Amino acid sequence: MADERTVEAILDAVAACAPEIRTALPGRRVESGETNPSGELRLAADEYADELIQDRLAEIDGIGAYASEEDEEIVDLGTGLSVAVDPLDGSSNLKPNNTMGTIVGIYDAALPASGRELVGAAYVLYGPITTMAAAVGASVTEYVIREGEREAVEEGLTLPEEPSIYGFGGRVPDWTDAFTEYAREIESDESLRLRYGGAMIGDVNQVLTYGGVFAYPALESAPNGKLRLQYEGNPIGYIVEAAGGASSDGERSLLDVEPTALHQRVPVHVGSSDLIDRLEARLG
Ligand code: AHM
Ligand code: MG
């Protein structure tokens, strides 16, 4: 099908961008002086990654729209699938030289769209090596990216049976009482250890690798949390669910959250199904 070829072409294009983004990072650790539509300061690296990915996707047939966490408006690319991108997730990790990622959600619908409209999602992780995790249909594949090419290292990736890590974002005093109770329950479980790096992609990839739970929850000061539905919540929920895990906004799968705006935020909880069930029991 034409759509499947387009999805693979998008994943190839994002993989090809990855080494270029990496190479461009050292000189782009400074603030650009601009803010993104969510009011956060942009780094020169955010702008570079956004422009590079948009340019490369514009060369692919079968894409109708490009939307980015960095841009106010949707860019019209013709007819076809809609691609929502967080070009550099966790870019505040660039100054201290820690993990970052790139996230891509591919929707067969106009944006903003429900996660149920996703036909593929992927993220690149700029760690000690560059990897990509991609969900197409109900299957997740992990790739190593070498010289801009994807090489599959694990197909049909699933979360391990026995979870062992957790990581929660937001200031602890800003958590809701219900989430604080959940966090205390998780912290007191002797089989779980804290792993939190401040870039969702790095933290989620640990959950995919070791099993566990990542959350950027609703906060007292921000009832919808920090992360954005189109660029972060939906694609990550889609990937974790395809890997046999679960996602939730606190009450329902992230994929069932009603899309209302391009830059809408959503509380994000993803991970091993049992740990998400326990979360919903506390928060529901
Ligand atoms: P970004 O896409 O603008 O970098 O923001 C998203 C990041 C996530 O990767 C991470 O989970 C979260 O922001 C951390 O936020 P905070 O800096 O509030 O701890
Ligand atoms: Mg992000």
Side-chain angles (χ1 to χ4, degrees), residues 45-90:
D46 289 311
E47 294 184 351
Y48 175 84
D50 179 27
E51 284 166 19
L52 180 70
I53 295 169
Q54 182 184 322
D55 286 352
R56 295 297 162 79
L57 294 182
E59 294 167 6
I60 298 172
D61 285 337
I63 302 180
Y66 172 82
S68 160
E69 189 179 292
E70 300 301 329
D71 305 326
E72 196 75 54
E73 307 285 345
I74 295 169
V75 178
D76 184 352
L77 294 183
T79 311
L81 302 173
S82 301
V83 188
V85 176
D86 182 354
L88 215 43
D89 174 64

Side-chain angles (χ1 to χ4, degrees), residues 106-109 113-120 229 234-235 237-238 241 247 252-257 259:
I106 308 166
Y107 299 86
D108 189 8
S114 159
R116 297 288 171 202
E117 305 285 359
L118 283 164
V119 290
L229 182 65
N234 275 340
Y238 183 82
E241 291 193 20
S247 78
R252 60 184 72 75
S253 163
L254 289 169
L255 307 181
D256 289 323
V257 173

Side-chain angles (χ1 to χ4, degrees), residues 30 51 95-96 106 125 242 268 271:
V30 292
E51 284 166 19
K95 281 187 189 173
I106 308 166
L125 174 60
V268 169

Side-chain angles (χ1 to χ4, degrees), residues 178-194:
F179 186 80
T180 302
E181 284 169 23
Y182 174 71
R184 296 289 104 90
E185 181 184 321
I186 295 297
E187 287 161 1
S188 62
D189 185 329
E190 288 184 1
S191 63
L192 298 173
R193 282 166 297 154
L194 172 64

Side-chain angles (χ1 to χ4, degrees), residues 161-249:
E161 290 284 324
E162 299 290 333
S164 62
I165 61 136
Y166 65 93
F168 303 144
R171 291 182 58 249
V172 176
D174 208 9
W175 289 348
T176 64
D177 289 347
F179 186 80
T180 302
E181 284 169 23
Y182 174 71
R184 296 289 104 90
E185 181 184 321
I186 295 297
E187 287 161 1
S188 62
D189 185 329
E190 288 184 1
S191 63
L192 298 173
R193 282 166 297 154
L194 172 64
R195 287 286 187 279
Y196 186 73
M200 182 184 71
I201 287 309
D203 295 325
V204 167
N205 200 58
Q206 299 212 49
V207 168
L208 275 190
T209 308
Y210 293 126
V213 55
F214 164 80
Y216 201 107
L219 302 176
E220 291 291 352
S221 66
N224 291 317
K226 175 182 180 189
L227 302 174
R228 282 132 294 214
L229 182 65
Q230 299 297 305
Y231 318 101
E232 292 162 323
N234 275 340
I236 291 307
Y238 183 82
I239 293 168
V240 173
E241 291 193 20
S247 78
S248 179
D249 71 345

Side-chain angles (χ1 to χ4, degrees), residues 5 29 33 41 64 84 91 110 126 142 158 164 202 205 234 249 254:
R5 279 203 302 275
R29 299 167 85 179
L41 280 171
S91 53
Y126 307 98
E142 186 185 27
T158 53
S164 62
N205 200 58
N234 275 340
D249 71 345
L254 289 169

